[in-house]
Amino acid sequence: MFRKTVSLTGFLSFVLLLVTSVVLYFEPQGRVAYWADWRFLGLTKEHWDSLHIALGILFLLSGLVHVWYNWKPLTNYMRNRARDLIILTPPLVMALLVTLYFTFGALFGLPGVQQLLDFSTWLKDGHVATYGNPPYGHAELSTLDDFAKNLGLDAAKAAESLRAKGLEVAGGQTLKEIAASHDTSPQQIYAMIRAAQGGDPFEALPPSPPDGTGRMSLSEICDSYGLPLAQATERLTMNGLTVDAGLPFKELAKQNNLDAKQLYLLLRSGKRN
């Protein structure tokens, strides 16, 4: 009874571990997931990460007990026809080589393994274009006053803009708490605040380019921050730049003999420093 329970526990935890591994393969980076309140099948990134760890531990424990119960059959795989125990049997050597290749492939970028990792990165970067970046690390954990101060925004206008949308704002609440209490995301809270600031909408961009900006195109940046693409293109062309709105920001900057940060600041201010 116990042996069967262990085997079935190992099997079920393995199947569920496969599911969580697939989700972790394509889920957004933490900064993006927390900022946009990303969910898959109703579960947040924190939920999926916790599930993966818990199921991994369960699979490990059931696997160890399973090996203990089945030690004799396992050692039979390492015997020759004369029933002599041979540690490095051909099947074990092959299994060891495959495992080592994937292990060192992940560490040193070996062919095949690196492509798998690159594809995961590509999937995660796609989420940046879809959900946008926080203006700085863990911005969702800042209070409304601190958030406005860090971005050079008017805190009073920020609070008033949220109340105008029917969102109650209590002193000391973080953006994450405000968003959670109104079934929205910190990203949407920021969009409401930014839209109500008035003046040049480009000046409401974060003072410094958030992580991942260099991999986004100009059109994706405009979509992420609710900016008019035509006006963004005009701001850059008026400064003598050649603009392809579909190029990654880093490549667009290089094409115009700038780095990505210089190009971002030019987009934000509308003029060369």
Side-chain angles (χ1 to χ4, degrees):
M1 174 70 175
F2 186 70
R3 178 177 294 195
K4 291 180 180 179
T5 300
V6 168
S7 297
L8 290 172
T9 299
F11 172 72
L12 291 174
S13 60
F14 172 71
V15 171
L16 292 174
L17 198 59
L18 282 178
V19 174
T20 59
S21 296
V22 170
V23 174
L24 263 63
Y25 185 76
F26 69 78
E27 72 177 6
Q29 301 285 1
R31 67 179 191 278
V32 177
Y34 302 141
W35 180 241
D37 192 31
W38 175 88
R39 294 169 186 266
F40 182 69
L41 299 179
L43 302 179
T44 66
K45 174 180 167 57
E46 290 174 318
H47 290 143
W48 284 109
D49 291 352
S50 297
L51 275 174
H52 187 72
I53 293 172
L55 291 168
I57 293 172
L58 179 61
F59 178 68
L60 174 63
L61 294 175
S62 60
L64 290 173
V65 177
H66 181 77
V67 168
W68 182 68
Y69 270 125
N70 295 275
W71 182 251
K72 188 174 181 179
L74 285 172
T75 57
N76 286 337
Y77 292 139
M78 295 183 287
R79 295 183 186 276
N80 59 17
R81 292 183 178 180
R83 308 303 295 167
D84 295 325
L85 184 65
I86 302 175
I87 301 299
L88 294 178
T89 60
L92 181 59
V93 170
M94 288 299 297
L96 185 61
L97 289 175
V98 171
T99 302
L100 287 175
Y101 187 83
F102 271 77
T103 300
F104 286 102
L107 295 174
F108 301 108
L110 299 182
V113 180
Q114 185 59 48
Q115 280 68 32
L116 287 172
L117 298 176
D118 289 343
F119 185 62
S120 175
T121 300
W122 180 78
L123 290 173
K124 292 176 184 294
D125 286 345
H127 292 300
V128 176
T130 302
Y131 300 110
N133 260 325
Y136 56 89
H138 291 296
E140 73 279 358
L141 300 181
S142 297
T143 64
L144 185 58
D145 286 345
D146 288 341
F147 181 75
K149 181 180 178 181
N150 288 337
L151 297 185
L153 303 176
D154 187 314
K157 280 186 179 180
E160 186 58 36
S161 65
L162 297 182
R163 293 191 182 98
K165 295 288 186 179
L167 278 66
E168 291 298 324
V169 180
Q173 274 189 311
T174 65
L175 262 67
K176 183 178 181 179
E177 291 169 341
I178 297 170
S181 62
H182 294 89
D183 196 26
T184 186
S185 68
Q187 179 196 34
Q188 292 301 315
I189 297 292
Y190 180 35
M192 296 176 197
I193 293 172
R194 196 176 61 244
Q197 290 293 307
D200 185 351
F202 290 87
E203 291 182 356
L205 284 168
S208 297
D211 291 341
T213 299
R215 295 189 291 272
M216 299 173 69
S217 67
L218 179 62
S219 61
E220 289 169 343
I221 290 172
C222 288
D223 286 343
S224 179
Y225 291 102
L227 302 171
L229 178 59
Q231 189 177 345
T233 303
E234 183 182 1
R235 289 169 78 91
L236 297 180
T237 54
M238 286 180 63
N239 282 277
L241 274 62
T242 302
V243 179
D244 180 344
L247 275 180
F249 217 58
K250 187 180 294 185
E251 292 184 24
L252 181 60
K254 185 176 180 180
Q255 189 180 78
N256 288 280
N257 299 314
L258 299 169
D259 60 39
K261 184 175 182 179
Q262 289 173 319
L263 181 60
Y264 177 86
L265 295 177
L266 177 58
L267 174 66
R268 185 175 185 270
S269 66
K271 57 181 182 296
R272 291 179 183 269
N273 293 326

